[in-house]
Amino acid sequence: MKFSCNQQELSTAINLVSKAVSSKTTLPILSGIYFETVGDQIRLIGNDLSLSIETFMSATVFESGNIVIPSRILTELIKKLPNNLIEIEVNDNSVITINCLESSFKIVGLPGLEYPELPNIEDQNSFEIDKELFSNMIKQTSFAISQDESRPILTGALLEIENSKFNMVAIDGFRMAIKRAHIKTNLNAKAVVPGKTLNEINKIMSQVESKGDLKIAFDDKQVLFTFESLKVYSRLLAGEFINYTQILPNDFKSVAKVNTDQFLTCIDRSFLMARENKNVAIKLEIKDDLIKISSSSEMGSSMEKLSVALEGNDLEIGFNPKYLIDALKVIDSEEIYLEMINNVSPCIIRPIDHESYTYLVLPCRISR
Amino acid sequence: MKFSCNQQELSTAINLVSKAVSSKTTLPILSGIYFETVGDQIRLIGNDLSLSIETFMSATVFESGNIVIPSRILTELIKKLPNNLIEIEVNDNSVITINCLESSFKIVGLPGLEYPELPNIEDQNSFEIDKELFSNMIKQTSFAISQDESRPILTGALLEIENSKFNMVAIDGFRMAIKRAHIKTNLNAKAVVPGKTLNEINKIMSQVESKGDLKIAFDDKQVLFTFESLKVYSRLLAGEFINYTQILPNDFKSVAKVNTDQFLTCIDRSFLMARENKNVAIKLEIKDDLIKISSSSEMGSSMEKLSVALEGNDLEIGFNPKYLIDALKVIDSEEIYLEMINNVSPCIIRPIDHESYTYLVLPCRISR
């Protein structure tokens, strides 16, 4: 195998696929990046068995072949080389020679034949969605994905397509985030994608500057995200997701309209005092067009006042401030509605401008 | 005690003095910041018993007094408040009330009377030096200060003033950095300042935007750095510093002139391969107007070629690449001289433009 390519293009391709290379793997071959000549292109793959990333870059190919190159040292080395032509040659003993101007390196690789195959996903179940919109859907829901491995299905987000409506839903037992979008598709399907995959997709997409549609295809076990020459494969989570529409409350007794940023700032400061406390709760007293937000711990106490437009009953209700902060940070509307029944039933937070986002949060007990 | 002040000014003052507040202290009072009314100013102090920082800020004082406020929560809280007037009031039980617009906080403090006194340093031994120049002297030497507590005197840098010459010297047993400056003073004196103090001084000075002279005063045990209303107190290290001029070699047999950045880049890449090796050495072969820089480990090997102007003998010599990188990073001259005797004697690196910087580094054995 022998080819030459540009340092910048190689560095970009390596950075993309290395996101799926685990440094902690027990299989030595997976700590490397797979290189293969395909026509006048190089195919690169990173794979940690739950997530695989494939991309292509242009090159001048002198001799076809494949090789696995240790990821960490390759990434650092290519980054430190000048923006110039790089020549890579592999001998029969899997020793890779990398030349660039007056610099020469030899790295010991592994034969490409031993590298695992990528899954084969049929194209039947697929739809397209604007890359930026999909990233935003992840940003607005992924923080509510459960970290608790005891209910594996909740460590992923539900992707649900029905009648051209596309919903992304995340639940962790204390709160739920739902983001809705419209897409053009005849597909009706459901899949639960691991939280780690969605977070990696967002990191990768933020590195790709060009705009356009992301193609999402899946079968029973696997999902494939395709954007230009980039492919991200992931396993899906098995099992039934919670019937989330059943959880959504209605018949609200108190609806408060409040400025998103001001509310976030007040809760953020109240959190400082609550953090020293094991219960972590902050108290909201909503009454007479005012929310009083208070917290206390051994360190001290806080009291914030914020004007509010309240319809319905006065209410005293406690929340874990972190759960409010997470949602308020990603809501892009100037004002929100807080929709409440009483101080033990789920509360809904939603932007006043549109219906595309719903956040449900359970109150917590306040004992003072 | 009761005063009001501007949020930005308070935040800046807290950030300065909190650098000397340790979160790991066993004395609860030292985990706080000392506040005291002095005329129409507030005096703030942070103190970890080896380093103390004092500053003043303007305020409207309604009632004089003093108090110690827990540092971590105060710092975070003031940072999160809007840029507006902040009112701080302390009651007889050391409970501090902080009000800003519609926000109110109570924090439990400690009586100011229990806070340790600052040392008293006489002004006899003192000199002034441009703040930027002093920061640069620290930057060019502090990395060579020893981390090894078994020879405590080397965990500080020597400050030596003689006949208007001011030298800063750091030695760690494998290398030595000497930075020289001229200052206007009649003082002849020596002091060894802890490395931690010098690093903190640099952090603090980078936060202070205004330019000018820093005043350095010391007695047998303490040093005081004064810049405007800011004072930094530190203990000095006791004992005799190494007579460093005796270590400086001469009678060089090989002198090579090389481009600083190119040399740094080549060594940086060679370091990648050497890092996997316990010996960490890289090899320099200097011959025929060329330096060949090579390294090897189980991972692979590297070879870099760089043009050089050599006077004297050809030479093969090994170095710890980290020791070269540290110095090359802080040398502000386009080219350097490498002055060598043989592959076991100390080597000198110095900028070709001026005599104000000298770096000595011991070679290491190369066994291949």
Side-chain angles (χ1 to χ4, degrees), chain B residues 104-124:
Chain B
S104 180
F105 306 88
K106 287 191 193 303
I107 303 178
V108 183
L110 288 165
L113 284 172
E114 294 168 20
Y115 200 77
E117 295 272 341
L118 286 181
N120 195 7
I121 293 174
E122 290 194 16
D123 236 15
Q124 287 169 319

Side-chain angles (χ1 to χ4, degrees), chain B residues 13-22 33 46-48 51 53 71 196 199-201 203-204 206-207:
Chain B
I14 289 173
N15 278 333
L16 285 174
V17 300
S18 65
K19 297 247 169 335
V21 178
S22 166
I33 294 172
N47 189 341
D48 70 3
L51 190 76
I53 304 174
S71 172
K196 179 178 176 263
N199 288 327
E200 290 300 328
I201 286 281
K203 278 187 214 157
I204 293 164
S206 70
Q207 271 186 262

Side-chain angles (χ1 to χ4, degrees), chain B residues 18-224:
Chain B
S18 65
K19 297 247 169 335
V21 178
S22 166
S23 56
K24 291 175 201 152
T25 179
T26 49
L27 284 171
I29 199 150
L30 294 183
S31 66
I33 294 172
Y34 176 80
F35 282 74
E36 181 189 354
T37 57
V38 179
D40 59 353
Q41 289 204 303
I42 304 295
R43 180 185 185 214
L44 292 88
I45 304 175
N47 189 341
D48 70 3
L49 294 184
S50 71
L51 190 76
S52 329
I53 304 174
E54 178 194 74
T55 192
F56 287 82
M57 61 159 209
S58 57
T60 307
V61 175
F62 302 106
E63 194 189 320
S64 65
N66 56 42
I67 186 71
V68 177
I69 312 182
S71 172
R72 193 187 58 72
I73 196 145
L74 181 71
T75 308
E76 288 191 53
L77 176 60
I78 301 300
K79 192 173 70 188
K80 286 177 190 288
L81 284 172
N83 187 5
N84 218 296
L85 200 70
I86 293 181
E87 199 183 75
I88 296 183
E89 185 170 4
V90 183
N91 76 6
D92 291 343
N93 297 321
S94 299
V95 172
I96 304 124
T97 304
I98 300 174
N99 287 316
C100 179
L101 300 175
E102 292 298 315
S103 306
S104 180
F105 306 88
K106 287 191 193 303
I107 303 178
V108 183
L110 288 165
L113 284 172
E114 294 168 20
Y115 200 77
E117 295 272 341
L118 286 181
N120 195 7
I121 293 174
E122 290 194 16
D123 236 15
Q124 287 169 319
N125 281 353
S126 79
F127 65 99
E128 295 190 353
I129 181 167
D130 178 73
K131 175 191 139 196
E132 297 294 320
L133 173 59
F134 190 68
S135 280
N136 203 35
M137 294 181 82
I138 295 173
K139 205 178 86 185
Q140 292 192 305
T141 54
S142 63
F143 59 85
I145 293 173
S146 173
Q147 306 295 319
D148 179 1
E149 295 288 342
S150 68
R151 289 189 72 183
I153 192 78
L154 296 187
T155 63
L158 172 69
L159 275 59
E160 178 188 53
I161 306 108
E162 201 172 39
N163 303 327
S164 298
K165 285 178 191 157
F166 174 36
N167 299 332
M168 192 180 288
V169 185
I171 306 181
D172 75 358
F174 301 98
R175 61 218 176 127
M176 168 166 74
I178 307 170
K179 177 68 181 176
R180 303 174 189 87
H182 286 271
I183 52 169
K184 285 182 193 156
T185 180
N186 296 319
L187 183 69
N188 289 314
K190 284 182 189 180
V192 181
V193 181
K196 179 178 176 263
T197 302
L198 294 173
N199 288 327
E200 290 300 328
I201 286 281
N202 250 7
K203 278 187 214 157
I204 293 164
M205 289 306 150
S206 70
Q207 271 186 262
V208 178
E209 280 180 21
S210 52
K211 295 182 177 185
D213 280 354
L214 180 73
K215 182 174 165 186
I216 303 176
F218 51 93
D219 60 19
D220 287 354
K221 291 184 176 160
Q222 307 276 345
V223 59
L224 166 59

